[in-house]
Amino acid sequence: MFLSRVIFFSFLLVFLLSSGCFNKKKDQQESIIAPASEDTAAPSISLGLPVFVNENDPVIRDYWWTLISKYVTDDTIEVQASFVDERKLGKFDFTIRPLLQLSKIKNGWEVDDSRVLYKRIQGYTNKFYIPIGIDAGYYLFTITCEDSAGNKAPIVKTKFYMKSAYDDTLPVVRYLNTSLDTNNYGLNKYNIGDTLYVRGFASDSKLLRYVDTRIMRKTSLQVINNIVKRDSILTTNHPIDTFWIVPAGMPVGTYLLRTRAVDYYNNTDSMTSEFSIQ
């Protein structure tokens, strides 16, 4: 009987000691991983395709468009991304939107995809068919992610270019007679009240859709004046013949005169001349 009690109390003592150690270890683990209510760290996003290119990077600012992903209609675009969080992921969303559609006749491609995520680290790969008849041009890919506590990752955006399977030839813009020196040698100087005129043409091998001419600030690209805009042209050649009188109160600085032409499939090209107001 005495021996049985000794064995019982020995087992009880071992159990209590091991239980205490287990609880201490558990407490240490919980102190490392904060409860969901205290989770304030945002998840992170890594993008494989479309290729992420930071066009604002000073090193590649002048040639970022050569580095971006390029696709052709009637093909597929592959999306590759991965998501990481210190506790648990919640969901992600991505969208594809046309970046520049100048004409009222719009046929841009749009994609939306959302997925629920359950792990700390999760990857995503998918392919999407690109309709053959959509507009060419630049597209914007945007991806967002949040964890199970609602913390949002910094938004990731990148651009890619779409060529049309029907027509991948850019329209042509030419200035034939203008008050501007189109070589941009810094000779284009104007005063308040002076007239800036430009004459030329825009053409396309198939059909033009849209032509405009604008005055812009050089540094910010802010549009000062839309001199002329022609939409739904649907012809192969369109004349450029317009002028602009420098208005009173126009700040001294450097400006751009830019004419853009868009063809039927949204291929876009432009011609730009620089001038200064003194």
Side-chain angles (χ1 to χ4, degrees):
M1 190 71 173
F2 175 77
L3 182 60
S4 299
R5 287 183 178 180
V6 170
I7 295 173
F8 171 77
F9 282 111
S10 297
F11 275 111
L12 181 61
L13 180 61
V14 170
F15 172 77
L16 291 174
L17 290 173
S18 61
S19 177
C21 292
F22 174 77
N23 288 332
K24 183 178 180 181
K25 185 176 181 181
K26 183 179 179 184
D27 291 340
Q28 289 174 341
Q29 289 177 335
E30 290 180 346
S31 67
I32 296 173
I33 303 178
S37 61
E38 298 177 10
D39 181 8
T40 58
S44 62
I45 302 171
S46 296
L47 183 61
L49 290 173
V51 175
F52 175 75
V53 175
N54 179 13
E55 65 183 273
N56 296 316
D57 184 338
V59 177
I60 63 171
R61 183 176 296 161
D62 295 332
Y63 62 93
W64 62 267
W65 51 274
T66 65
L67 305 175
I68 63 176
S69 298
K70 298 174 180 64
Y71 304 94
V72 181
T73 61
D74 200 31
D75 201 347
T76 59
I77 178 173
E78 183 173 353
V79 177
Q80 297 177 355
S82 60
F83 311 91
V84 178
D85 187 67
E86 65 175 10
R87 287 183 57 86
K88 183 181 178 182
L89 294 162
K91 66 175 183 177
F92 82 85
D93 303 273
F94 83 76
T95 60
I96 294 173
R97 294 287 185 270
L99 191 63
L100 184 66
Q101 288 187 293
L102 296 172
S103 174
K104 292 182 291 188
I105 309 171
K106 294 179 172 61
N107 191 27
W109 187 45
E110 298 188 359
V111 176
D112 296 88
D113 194 18
S114 299
R115 301 292 173 97
V116 177
L117 305 172
Y118 300 99
K119 305 174 183 178
R120 284 186 55 251
I121 302 173
Q122 204 154 337
Y124 171 82
T125 300
N126 206 350
K127 290 185 177 181
F128 297 87
Y129 172 71
I130 305 169
I132 191 169
I134 66 159
D135 283 342
Y138 287 101
Y139 282 76
L140 181 65
F141 180 92
T142 303
I143 188 164
T144 62
C145 174
E146 65 179 56
D147 63 17
S148 58
N151 301 304
K152 299 181 185 298
I155 298 175
V156 174
K157 296 182 179 182
T158 192
K159 295 175 185 175
F160 61 87
Y161 190 79
M162 191 79 69
K163 294 182 179 180
S164 171
Y166 293 136
D167 176 16
D168 64 354
T169 303
L170 300 180
V172 174
V173 180
R174 291 287 183 270
Y175 292 159
L176 299 179
N177 183 12
T178 173
S179 60
L180 292 165
D181 169 23
T182 55
N183 292 315
N184 295 323
Y185 288 143
L187 304 177
N188 299 317
K189 300 184 186 301
Y190 290 84
N191 298 301
I192 300 298
D194 287 349
T195 299
L196 183 157
Y197 68 86
V198 56
R199 298 183 181 95
F201 68 90
S203 65
D204 188 71
S205 59
K206 292 183 171 60
L207 282 176
L208 283 171
R209 180 182 284 183
Y210 176 98
V211 175
D212 72 11
T213 299
R214 306 182 299 166
I215 303 293
M216 309 163 64
R217 294 187 188 276
K218 181 181 179 181
T219 52
S220 65
L221 298 184
Q222 175 190 0
V223 177
I224 302 300
N225 192 291
N226 282 295
I227 304 176
V228 63
K229 180 169 66 175
R230 298 284 184 266
D231 202 350
S232 306
I233 299 170
L234 304 183
T235 183
T236 57
N237 192 286
H238 183 76
I240 298 169
D241 188 353
T242 188
F243 67 92
W244 181 67
I245 300 174
V246 181
M250 195 73 176
V252 170
T254 307
Y255 295 83
L256 305 174
L257 181 140
R258 177 171 294 170
T259 297
R260 302 181 296 180
V262 182
D263 70 13
Y264 193 79
Y265 293 101
N266 206 51
N267 298 301
T268 305
D269 203 4
S270 63
M271 186 164 187
T272 302
S273 288
E274 182 179 313
F275 66 97
S276 61
I277 295 176
Q278 55 189 3

